[in-house]
Amino acid sequence: MSAIADLYPDVRSVYVDFSEVERFDPDLANYTLMNPTLSLKSAEDALKRMVSHTLTEPFVHFRIKLLPHDSRVEIRKLRAKHLGTFVSIEGLVRKATEVRPKVTVAEFECARCGHRTTVVQEGMQFREPLECSKDEGGCGRGTGSTRFKLLTDPSKFVDTQKIEIQEPPEGLRGGAQPERLVGFIEDDLSGRISPGDRLILNGILRSQQKGTQVKSTLFEINLDVNSVEYEEHEYEEIMITPEDELKIREFSTSVDVFEKIIASISPTIYGYTQEKEALALQLFGGVSKVMDDGTRIRGDIHIALIGDPGTAKSQILRYMALLAPRGIYTSGKASSAAGLTAAAVKDEFGEGRWTLEAGALVLADKGLACIDELDKMNDQDRSSIHESLEQGTISVAKAGITATLQSRCAVLGAANPKYGRFDENRNIAEQIDLPPALLSRFDAIFTMTDRPDSEQDRKVAGHILKAHRRGEIKLHESPENITEVDAAEIMRDSDGLVPAMERDFLRKYVAYSKRLTPIMSDEAMRTLEGYYISIRKLGEGEEASVPITARQLEALIRMSEASARARLSQIVGSDDASRAIKIVEYYLQKVASEGGKRDIDLIATGTSRSQREQIYVLRSLVQQLSDERRGVSAEELIQKAGSENIPEDRVRALLKRLSDAGEIYSPQPGYYKLASEERIG
Ligand code: ADP
Ligand code: MG
């Protein structure tokens, strides 16, 4: 503590653990919890005397950390009795303003006589002198007959920042909206907190009267922050007792670990076994690494579900958001300013300052962001989501704010096909309305089609009916008294709808597994390499398309690592590699093949090789057939392209594409001309 006298003003805070205060004087410790304002003030006055040689009115802070457990209050449980007491609040930072100075001691000069008056500023309202006091040597004029000029130089300022925290999502019961609390931060603590941070704020709960014009008897609460503690690891939020650990270890050795995990993912949803297996791997995640050259490679596995309406996409997303540690469910068209990524806004909250607000991907840092209706996201999100998917950061540069926020989360996105429903006669990839640059960042893209098929329909219907009936029976206290149906038999029959692992246990299992960072075995490497090379080989030769790229290889590595984690294995074995290959094969066959041939460009660039060929053909047709004045008519192009085996609707689609890209234009409706002759190579 004596150090502060030497280090001031670089160090302006003295930190003390609450237990130290308690050890020093239990009564004082207790008093501090109930009357922190007075207690902290006397501590700070004492500190000020130690450093008073440096300044007349030094800023020093006495900050207490690690409050006792009883002082920990959930935001939604804050009540009038907590006002004025020391509380400890856990939360996730949603908003933080820029750091701006606030005047604490204002010096005024009387415009008539030049006499100076000092007014100490407290609270939010700016206070000016009422008169130029005669007792202090002034001229005695009041505000009616003189003006007071604020002198900024001799006045004293302190840095301030306003933040808003919300309850951490994992504490919320069944889809409740998180409650929020405003916090005020001063001096050396300001500027260190970013939206998305998970932290514990210790401070004094204050109240502020509502209404500026007409005063109300209602008060708002806010926190006068005294100290901040950061939560380092995501998995530490989930308590794992030694008994839990024993259970987890034992479970990991059973032969059907995977079957059990898969059977615990949305059991009320019928089918989708492959999809569920991929979702299981997503929960565990691959290993994120920092290379020797400083590049970070993500371990998060991103999955996209694209499907017809009513194929249980939203249902699955909601389920995963509840299951995953730090899971968040949101929709691409959610209306908050921050959207999915982040935003800098100037609104009431900032009181004149810019505010940085975290969107879903930042709030889900080190967790799982489940984004429904991904195709409906706004333009701002569209441009910044790539960075988040690949680098795990979101950069904001607007007005006075430049910031990089952390968003190291796995993304589970859902979207509908472009025209509402998949047309089975067309390439699936063409019907996905997400920019290729975005789509290709997903490690797996599953398409879910819903076509009448009596056998499948019977199974799904049976499953849904069973689930509903089970739900109905569960509402009865004594189902054995019902005579019309055999309740016990119904319950037995629908046993499979009970998750194989209880949700809490699975969450603990996942959290525990994250402590491991498995390493690839030689066999796993050989398996992945062998697969990759063999698929690439399909793309050799002049006519062939590129079947797979290094992005898929990385997806395979991540999924293999996740598979090892799910078994709590330190080593990635060849079985793990095979599991990853099975999943990647499954989805590539659906979305990255055309006429039985593999073509990764369907998702990587949005244009398959055969489409590219057609574009060249069409472009040269436009060039050859155009006359100087009018260009060439669509009809003529369709006819000529027809003899090259390009169907009419394809020609029309490609014409539109070429126009959109500015490569051709219409001198008059229905006619086309090449925009620039040199472009034909
Ligand atoms: P989407 O988001 O794909 O449009 P929803 O998640 O809203 O679809 O699903 C519609 C309803 O249909 C949900 O109540 C869901 O439980 C049910 N459903 C759809 N497919 C299945 C399935 N395979 N098994 C069980 N229920 C299903
Ligand atoms: Mg939906």
Side-chain angles (χ1 to χ4, degrees):
M1 211 179 273
S2 59
I4 192 162
D6 306 326
L7 298 172
Y8 189 86
D10 294 330
V11 174
R12 298 191 292 281
S13 291
V14 170
Y15 284 92
V16 177
D17 288 354
F18 183 79
S19 57
E20 284 179 62
V21 183
E22 213 166 23
R23 213 172 319 126
F24 174 72
D25 182 348
D27 289 340
L28 176 64
N30 244 330
Y31 180 80
T32 304
L33 289 180
M34 297 316 294
N35 301 284
T37 313
L38 267 177
S39 182
L40 290 174
K41 186 165 184 320
S42 6
E44 283 171 7
D45 284 344
L47 285 173
K48 275 178 194 169
R49 283 194 292 277
M50 294 166 94
V51 298
S52 55
H53 58 276
T54 16
L55 265 180
T56 41
E57 189 67 31
F59 284 120
V60 284
H61 311 278
F62 190 74
R63 304 195 188 276
I64 302 182
K65 288 204 300 186
L66 301 173
L67 293 196
H69 209 76
D70 300 345
S71 304
R72 182 73 68 88
V73 191
E74 286 174 38
I75 294 178
R76 64 180 59 231
K77 299 217 172 117
L78 288 169
R79 293 292 177 264
K81 68 171 183 197
H82 295 114
L83 286 174
T85 68
F86 221 139
V87 287
S88 177
I89 289 172
E90 184 185 358
L92 178 52
V93 181
R94 255 179 67 82
K95 297 183 185 176
T97 66
E98 300 170 278
V99 178
R100 284 290 177 267
K102 175 177 102 174
V103 64
T104 55
V105 182
E107 280 271 321
F108 294 92
E109 189 179 73
C110 173
R112 300 298 283 269
C113 71
H115 174 74
R116 289 189 179 186
T117 309
T118 306
V119 181
V120 175
Q121 304 288 326
E122 277 160 357
M124 290 305 290
Q125 202 90 49
F126 184 59
R127 288 173 24 190
E128 289 175 281
L130 296 174
E131 57 160 17
C132 185
S133 169
K134 245 190 177 120
D135 301 344
E136 293 167 20
C139 60
R141 289 186 178 86
T143 40
S145 43
T146 183
R147 283 184 308 105
F148 295 98
K149 191 173 157 231
L150 176 69
L151 303 172
T152 45
D153 275 353
S155 294
K156 287 214 181 76
F157 294 87
V158 66
D159 286 325
T160 62
Q161 193 181 22
K162 184 178 175 186
I163 62 170
E164 184 180 79
I165 58 169
Q166 72 175 41
E167 296 170 301
E170 47 282 334
L172 299 177
R173 289 277 150 254
Q177 281 301 308
E179 295 211 4
R180 301 170 184 176
L181 179 70
V182 169
F184 291 99
I185 290 179
E186 280 194 1
D187 203 19
D188 53 351
L189 274 189
S190 44
R192 298 191 190 175
I193 293 177
S194 315
D197 285 352
R198 297 216 164 211
L199 31 77
I200 293 168
L201 297 178
N202 304 309
I204 307 168
L205 193 70
R206 303 236 188 253
S207 57
Q208 197 178 12
Q209 199 161 14
K210 269 185 146 177
T212 39
Q213 300 296 319
V214 184
K215 286 199 171 151
S216 161
T217 50
L218 287 180
F219 281 69
E220 284 287 10
I221 51 169
N222 58 58
L223 192 72
D224 187 354
V225 178
N226 176 262
S227 68
V228 181
E229 294 160 37
Y230 289 87
E231 298 190 2
E232 280 301 320
H233 293 294
E234 67 278 18
Y235 41 77
E236 284 168 12
E237 282 151 25
I238 295 180
M239 271 283 288
I240 297 175
T241 61
E243 295 89 77
D244 288 335
E245 186 170 347
L246 224 62
K247 251 176 85 184
I248 289 169
R249 284 258 153 225
E250 193 194 305
F251 182 84
S252 72
T253 56
S254 45
V255 280
D256 54 350
V257 186
F258 267 94
E259 285 70 25
K260 284 198 179 126
I261 295 171
I262 295 168
S264 309
I265 292 180
S266 265
T268 47
I269 303 297
Y270 177 82
Y272 299 128
T273 321
Q274 305 267 12
E275 285 80 359
K276 287 181 184 178
E277 187 162 6
L279 293 173
L281 294 185
Q282 182 179 44
L283 270 185
F284 293 96
V287 179
S288 95
K289 320 162 180 90
V290 178
M291 302 310 206
D292 295 305
D293 64 0
T295 29
R296 174 185 175 271
I297 297 188
R298 70 173 156 100
D300 306 312
I301 296 171
H302 305 316
I303 295 179
L305 306 177
I306 299 168
D308 291 337
T311 47
K313 299 183 298 296
S314 304
Q315 191 90 335
I316 293 175
L317 258 60
R318 281 204 206 90
Y319 196 91
M320 295 307 289
L322 286 179
L323 191 55
R326 288 194 180 183
I328 281 187
Y329 172 86
T330 185
S331 166
K333 60 178 180 197
S335 53
S336 101
L340 297 178
T341 51
V345 287
K346 203 163 194 172
D347 59 7
E348 224 174 280
F349 179 83
E351 293 162 23
R353 293 166 288 194
W354 283 88
T355 303
L356 191 56
E357 188 175 341
L361 291 170
V362 177
L363 295 177
D365 185 31
K366 295 189 175 173
L368 176 69
C370 301
I371 308 173
D372 214 345
E373 318 210 42
L374 188 62
D375 44 343
K376 308 263 176 10
M377 68 187 156
N378 63 37
D379 292 341
Q380 183 202 330
D381 285 340
R382 246 169 227 270
S383 61
S384 42
I385 197 171
H386 295 135
E387 183 193 348
S388 172
L389 288 173
E390 213 52 62
Q391 268 87 48
T393 54
I394 289 170
S395 305
V396 181
K398 186 174 166 191
I401 289 192
T402 51
T404 300
L405 301 178
Q406 303 285 356
S407 68
R408 296 152 293 185
C409 57
V411 173
L412 172 58
N416 281 65
K418 206 188 300 190
Y419 305 112
R421 186 176 287 280
F422 280 118
D423 179 345
E424 301 246 311
N425 301 316
R426 289 164 178 277
N427 263 330
I428 277 186
E430 284 176 49
Q431 304 176 54
I432 301 177
D433 192 19
L434 284 172
L438 176 58
L439 203 55
S440 58
R441 252 95 186 166
F442 284 89
D443 297 279
I445 303 156
F446 296 109
T447 53
M448 302 156 102
T449 48
D450 181 25
R451 303 250 77 210
D453 164 347
S454 45
E455 193 180 335
Q456 172 78 0
D457 292 346
R458 190 167 316 131
K459 286 183 190 153
V460 175
H463 194 88
I464 294 178
L465 288 166
K466 245 197 237 176
H468 280 250
R469 187 150 71 160
R470 185 181 174 88
E472 288 159 2
I473 288 182
K474 278 183 65 170
L475 290 173
H476 288 263
E477 258 176 42
S478 36
E480 60 281 0
N481 297 343
I482 309 168
T483 48
E484 289 85 349
V485 293
D486 185 350
E489 172 60 25
I490 290 168
M491 292 304 276
R492 247 193 324 276
D493 185 41
S494 55
D495 229 8
L497 293 168
V498 184
M501 302 163 77
E502 268 176 40
R503 179 178 292 168
D504 270 354
F505 180 63
L506 181 52
R507 280 168 66 92
K508 282 182 183 175
Y509 190 84
V510 170
Y512 186 83
S513 81
K514 302 244 174 188
R515 298 178 186 177
L516 295 178
T517 53
I519 299 169
M520 253 186 288
S521 65
D522 290 347
E523 299 80 61
M525 283 185 71
R526 270 198 298 276
T527 310
L528 293 181
E529 192 180 347
Y531 169 75
Y532 182 70
I533 302 285
S534 71
I535 298 289
R536 285 290 288 189
K537 266 221 164 65
L538 300 174
E540 286 177 3
E542 296 246 318
E543 294 291 291
S545 46
V546 177
I548 192 172
T549 70
R551 285 219 175 111
Q552 281 74 46
L553 180 57
E554 289 194 327
L556 285 166
I557 297 170
R558 282 188 275 273
M559 289 190 200
S560 313
E561 290 164 350
S563 167
R565 253 189 185 156
R567 303 184 291 117
L568 298 188
S569 162
Q570 291 282 8
I571 297 294
V572 182
S574 60
D575 284 357
D576 297 315
S578 304
R579 186 185 312 281
I581 290 172
K582 191 180 69 182
I583 291 170
V584 168
E585 263 296 300
Y586 170 75
Y587 97 81
L588 283 181
Q589 282 212 357
K590 280 194 172 183
V591 297
S593 65
E594 191 181 58
K597 277 202 294 190
R598 290 302 175 80
D599 192 343
I600 197 66
D601 284 341
L602 281 165
I603 44 177
T605 65
T607 312
S608 70
R609 185 180 162 89
S610 65
Q611 284 173 353
R612 260 202 317 271
E613 225 95 85
Q614 292 170 347
I615 288 176
Y616 289 128
V617 170
L618 199 65
R619 214 155 49 165
S620 56
L621 282 178
V622 174
Q623 189 190 27
Q624 288 160 19
L625 303 173
S626 283
D627 74 23
E628 265 311 301
R629 212 167 38 85
R630 296 193 310 182
V632 50
S633 72
E635 283 67 39
E636 193 177 348
L637 281 172
I638 287 165
Q639 193 217 330
K640 286 278 174 0
S643 47
E644 305 260 357
N645 283 328
I646 310 178
E648 173 172 350
D649 55 348
R650 172 108 267 162
V651 175
R652 292 198 188 275
L654 291 178
L655 283 175
K656 177 165 186 309
R657 223 169 126 163
L658 285 168
S659 313
D660 287 348
E663 301 208 17
I664 60 173
Y665 69 101
S666 297
Q668 65 182 76
Y671 283 79
Y672 295 93
K673 217 172 160 198
L674 222 53
S676 145
E677 296 288 318
E678 300 89 76
R679 282 178 113 138
I680 279 283

